Amino acid sequence: KAGVTQTPRYLIKTRGQQVTLSCSPISGHRSVSWYQQTPGQGLQFLFEYFSETQRNKGNFPGRFSGRQFSNSRSEMNVSTLELGDSALYLCASSRGTSGVETQYFGPGTRLLVL
Amino acid sequence: GENVEQHPSTLSVQEGDSAVIKCTYSDSASNYFPWYKQELGKGPQLIIDIRSNVGEKKDQRIAVTLNKTAKHFSLHITETQPEDSAVYFCAATTRRGSTLGRLYFGRGTQLTVWP
């Protein structure tokens, strides 16, 4: 079974631009979560989607948004990029059906903001 | 929310020795504790997990113990090998209502195994 895939793997943007990252979960998984990983803050939760609905949100500004499509694929968008947004953005998927479930991570998208 | 602390931040061991990484959590309602291994340039990979109704779980050279009373859990790696070198993260989460549980991560432990 294929794992979680994320595209693109690397991105370079300049301040003020916006960016869209994509995540395809493991087949059959309906929950997708996004995390930001930086050396300074570690792994921080952005948001979680299930059945096209945002079910949980972390403490990030409104410039960070996401959505989920009917096939469970998810995108996250960051508008008006800041230097501090440079990070590894990780997507994790789980079945999302009941209880506490294992989350499987993708390889991440490395974003560099200049 | 939940606060997970992880120690040590770096750990160097000789090949064949054991390595232990410890984590504490603050929310007594947390009921699931996964451990992830992250190699350079890759996303975190689940290596073992434990649920709150179990005190210990073992998978070959890797074991995890959980003490709910003290709110701490530990990762034990025996007979370490150079390929065990990576950053290890502990995490905790709770299911409340319809929320599946965001993962709260520790800050990570850089494990280096010297041949």
Side-chain angles (χ1 to χ4, degrees), chain B residues 11-27:
Chain B
L11 179 59
S12 292
V13 299
Q14 202 73 31
E15 182 177 2
D17 288 349
S18 295
V20 179
I21 302 171
K22 299 182 179 181
C23 289
T24 61
Y25 61 99
S26 61
D27 189 349

Side-chain angles (χ1 to χ4, degrees), chain A:
Chain A
K1 187 184 265 192
V4 178
T5 58
Q6 292 187 244
T7 56
R9 292 293 312 278
Y10 303 93
L11 265 179
I12 300 176
K13 293 286 186 179
T14 57
R15 281 180 298 173
Q17 287 186 311
Q18 74 165 15
V19 65
T20 299
L21 313 181
S22 180
C23 170
S24 292
I26 292 170
S27 177
H29 284 196
R30 296 167 61 191
S31 172
V32 172
S33 297
W34 288 89
Y35 292 81
Q36 181 196 63
Q37 185 176 26
T38 60
Q41 300 298 319
L43 280 150
Q44 292 191 295
F45 174 79
L46 282 156
F47 25 66
E48 179 209 354
Y49 286 87
F50 176 78
S51 289
E52 302 178 65
T53 301
Q54 186 181 88
R55 195 154 58 173
N56 200 356
K57 190 177 189 304
N59 298 323
F60 279 81
R63 299 184 298 105
F64 291 82
S65 63
R67 59 178 175 168
Q68 187 179 34
F69 301 95
S70 58
N71 62 357
S72 295
R73 190 177 68 85
S74 177
E75 289 181 347
M76 68 163 281
N77 184 277
V78 187
S79 62
T80 320
L81 284 166
E82 301 177 359
L83 295 179
D85 297 333
S86 294
L88 181 66
Y89 290 89
L90 293 159
C91 164
S93 79
S94 61
R95 286 180 301 163
T97 50
S98 65
V100 179
E101 299 177 346
T102 300
Q103 295 189 22
Y104 298 90
F105 283 85
T109 294
R110 175 79 59 184
L111 172 64
L112 177 62
V113 182
L114 302 175

Side-chain angles (χ1 to χ4, degrees), chain A residues 9 35 37 39-43 45 48 55-56 58 88 90 94 96 98-103 105-107, chain B residues 31-32 36 38 41-46 49 51 89 93-95 98-107:
Chain A
R9 292 293 312 278
Y35 292 81
Q37 185 176 26
Q41 300 298 319
L43 280 150
F45 174 79
E48 179 209 354
R55 195 154 58 173
N56 200 356
L88 181 66
L90 293 159
S94 61
S98 65
V100 179
E101 299 177 346
T102 300
Q103 295 189 22
F105 283 85
Chain B
N31 55 10
Y32 176 65
Y36 287 87
Q38 187 174 27
K42 297 183 178 180
Q45 299 298 309
L46 180 75
D49 57 11
R51 297 175 191 264
F89 292 95
T93 190
T94 307
R95 182 179 184 192
S98 63
T99 302
L100 267 186
R102 54 181 284 185
L103 289 172
Y104 293 87
F105 284 90
R107 295 304 299 269

